[in-house]
Amino acid sequence: MSLTGEPIIILGVFRSGTSALSATLEQLGAFLGQANDFFPPNENNLGGYWEIRDQQELNLRGYAVFGMNFYQVDRLPEDWRENPAATTYVNELRALLNAKFSGQAQWGWKEPGTTGLVPIYKDALAAEGITPRYAICVRHPLSVAASQIARQTKWGLDGPQGVRNLHPPIGEHTVGLWIHYTLSALRETKGSPRVVVSYEGFLENPARTIEQITNTLVSWKPSPEQTAAAIATVKPEWSHNRYTLDDLKTWPAVVGKTYDVALRAANDTAGLNQGRFDEEVDALWNEWGRMSKMARPILLPAGQLIFSWREGPASNSYIEKYSPTGTWQSFRAPIAAPAGSEIFVDPYQTPCHVWIRKAIWHTAEGERKAILNPGPNGVIEEAFGMKRLTIFGPNPLILQAPGGGATAELELEMMIQSSPTVLTHAVSMLKGRLDQVRRTAAPQQMPMGRR
């Protein structure tokens, strides 16, 4: 069996009604996964999450692979297909979708992390010959923030359950994530059949929302019984907060503008699918991108590619200054070291990942592959068909100078990748290295009772 039909993909930031909409779609006849694949309901989501565990894990791995984070406003790089993991990751998505939905005529899924990975899912579905449709959930940003505050307070992670007086940093940060997820969903689904579902409007008049979905997204005809059951899944009491556009006047203008265009799109499905709001969404996306860059630290400052060695009468180092671009960069370095010398390489001066897809020695006798070994402050892994170096200190990489008696040139093609997720990974690897050193250095303890 293989994938067929036109799946409905539910997008939107967490706490925006994606679970409620999932329950409705399931009653309309959409297959969203096997019950034992889902995270079970709990006090934070009594109706169930409707999220497939394996898919959430794969989405989270995708965020890490592409230098993003589920709880940050990281954008999928425009050149994501150049990432070493791109092809493998697309194939993993295809395999997961086939494993979970193969043979289903009426299907779809809900997992908020999909919102930041829409272009990758598009490639995966296109390779399967599948055209998706989208339901974009939008809830008032202050309601989303208040819901998140309440949930995290239950977990003991933050302070009072303020509603009107949103408690920073959760409230402000969640509003930022709301902007990011909402604009990303609206932007990346252009040209595809889609419906914007206002959470407040959905709870107030579920029949109207279900009619919009049935007319635009559902490729089958639900029975009257299915439609009635779908309406019955909606509980008006789920709406705990009543905010309006006026409540956003004290926030940056991009917040109110984004909510306004989302509401208008929710009330004009035909115009949405005719591209009536596309230019406005693009302008807001660009404005939000500029604000994000202004607020966030530069992750890739200028650095140096440093080669050093201890043997030989000539200069024992070569340094090339450069600015990492986050894309593939090539370097050719003259190394005047005696044959067999250890060459210590510092590709960059902060913790990061360095992808290396080419390492070649050029000598008078021709070319030969450079053998890469980890230095005292680096770890080398095989990942997606190439080397990935994790740097957490100086001298993370060691090579051996080739024979020949003359200066050789080392050609490296590499890509520096840094993000909060990458830094966390590097720190974790450093901690593991230190723990290993401590265990090795610790004196052997005599068993208790045998002194």
Side-chain angles (χ1 to χ4, degrees):
M1 291 190 292
S2 60
L3 296 176
T4 59
E6 297 176 317
I8 300 173
I9 304 174
I10 299 173
L11 304 178
V13 74
F14 47 85
R15 316 308 291 172
S16 63
T18 55
S19 297
L21 183 60
S22 298
T24 300
L25 281 176
E26 195 267 343
Q27 289 297 330
L28 289 173
F31 175 79
L32 303 180
Q34 299 288 350
N36 58 3
D37 280 337
F38 295 138
F39 285 99
N42 60 26
E43 62 177 358
N44 295 307
N45 211 329
L46 298 175
Y49 288 89
W50 300 92
E51 295 173 16
I52 296 174
R53 293 184 183 87
D54 293 346
Q55 187 169 28
Q56 185 184 87
E57 291 172 4
L58 187 56
N59 281 350
L60 290 174
R61 196 162 77 83
Y63 273 76
V65 163
F66 294 100
M68 304 160 65
N69 187 298
F70 186 79
Y71 286 106
Q72 297 289 347
V73 292
D74 302 307
R75 296 187 177 192
L76 182 69
E78 295 291 336
D79 62 346
W80 64 267
R81 293 180 182 84
E82 292 297 311
N83 188 290
T87 299
T88 300
Y89 188 71
V90 167
N91 289 335
E92 288 183 4
L93 287 181
R94 292 175 65 185
L96 181 138
L97 294 176
N98 272 282
K100 303 301 181 182
F101 302 109
S102 183
Q104 298 292 334
Q106 303 156 190
W107 59 287
W109 73 86
K110 170 254 176 173
E111 205 291 301
T114 302
T115 308
L117 303 172
V118 169
I120 307 178
Y121 270 98
K122 280 184 176 178
D123 273 23
L125 290 168
E128 296 289 331
I130 299 296
T131 302
R133 302 180 176 206
Y134 301 94
I136 303 169
C137 293
V138 176
R139 185 182 185 183
H140 195 291
L142 300 189
S143 290
V144 172
S147 179
Q148 181 71 346
I149 289 170
R151 180 169 69 169
Q152 296 216 30
T153 300
K154 284 182 183 178
W155 294 344
L157 297 179
D158 212 278
Q161 298 184 38
V163 177
R164 290 283 173 178
N165 182 23
L166 292 177
H167 182 75
I170 295 176
E172 293 176 358
H173 183 66
T174 301
V175 171
L177 291 174
W178 177 90
I179 299 170
H180 188 72
Y181 274 65
T182 301
L183 290 176
S184 180
L186 290 170
R187 181 175 182 266
E188 299 300 345
T189 58
K190 287 187 294 186
S192 299
R194 53 189 176 157
V195 168
V196 173
V197 177
S198 162
Y199 181 71
E200 290 79 7
F202 182 37
L203 298 188
E204 183 178 330
N205 190 349
R208 178 179 178 273
T209 299
I210 290 169
E211 182 180 10
Q212 286 179 309
I213 291 172
T214 301
N215 292 340
T216 308
L217 304 182
V218 175
S219 57
W220 64 95
K221 186 169 180 59
S223 69
E225 293 76 16
Q226 287 176 312
T227 301
I231 293 173
T233 64
V234 182
K235 310 297 181 186
E237 62 269 21
W238 287 341
S239 183
H240 303 296
N241 307 302
R242 297 291 182 181
Y243 292 105
T244 68
L245 270 171
D246 287 342
D247 291 306
L248 298 175
K249 287 183 178 179
T250 59
W251 290 76
V254 68
V255 185
K257 290 178 181 178
T258 299
Y259 188 53
D260 179 60
V261 72
L263 287 183
R264 285 185 282 119
N267 291 315
D268 185 6
T269 298
L272 173 68
N273 287 295
Q274 291 165 7
R276 189 169 298 165
F277 306 102
D278 289 353
E279 289 187 9
E280 191 174 350
V281 168
D282 284 342
L284 288 169
W285 179 252
N286 291 334
E287 180 182 349
W288 175 241
R290 285 193 294 271
M291 291 180 66
S292 300
K293 290 177 182 177
M294 290 165 60
R296 300 192 67 181
I298 297 173
L299 294 176
L300 293 172
Q304 300 182 105
L305 179 59
I306 304 172
F307 302 87
S308 59
W309 55 96
R310 299 186 178 95
E311 295 83 2
S315 171
N316 62 353
S317 68
Y318 174 81
I319 299 175
E320 182 164 335
K321 297 179 180 180
Y322 73 103
S323 293
T325 62
T327 58
W328 291 106
Q329 295 175 275
S330 294
F331 304 90
R332 288 183 69 137
I335 306 296
S341 301
E342 282 190 332
I343 311 297
F344 296 91
V345 184
D346 280 280
Y348 197 53
Q349 284 66 60
T350 61
C352 64
H353 284 161
V354 182
W355 294 89
I356 303 173
R357 69 179 181 187
K358 187 176 185 181
I360 299 291
W361 284 109
H362 296 272
T363 68
E365 288 75 26
E367 298 179 358
R368 56 181 284 189
K369 182 178 179 180
I371 305 301
L372 309 179
N373 297 294
N377 293 301
V379 173
I380 293 180
E381 304 165 282
E382 287 288 341
F384 306 105
M386 62 190 70
K387 301 286 188 182
R388 185 178 71 180
L389 170 68
T390 299
I391 293 178
F392 44 78
N395 298 331
L397 186 64
I398 298 176
L399 297 87
Q400 190 174 51
T407 297
E409 280 193 328
L410 176 63
E411 180 180 1
L412 286 178
E413 188 174 11
M414 65 185 196
M415 178 171 66
I416 305 292
Q417 189 181 55
S418 183
S419 71
T421 304
V422 170
L423 297 180
T424 300
H425 179 258
V427 170
S428 175
M429 297 195 82
L430 174 59
K431 181 179 182 299
R433 178 68 64 87
L434 292 174
D435 288 345
Q436 183 181 21
V437 171
R438 291 192 189 100
R439 286 194 299 270
T440 302
Q444 295 297 314
Q445 300 293 324
M446 291 292 290
M448 292 294 292
R450 296 179 61 186
R451 294 175 179 253

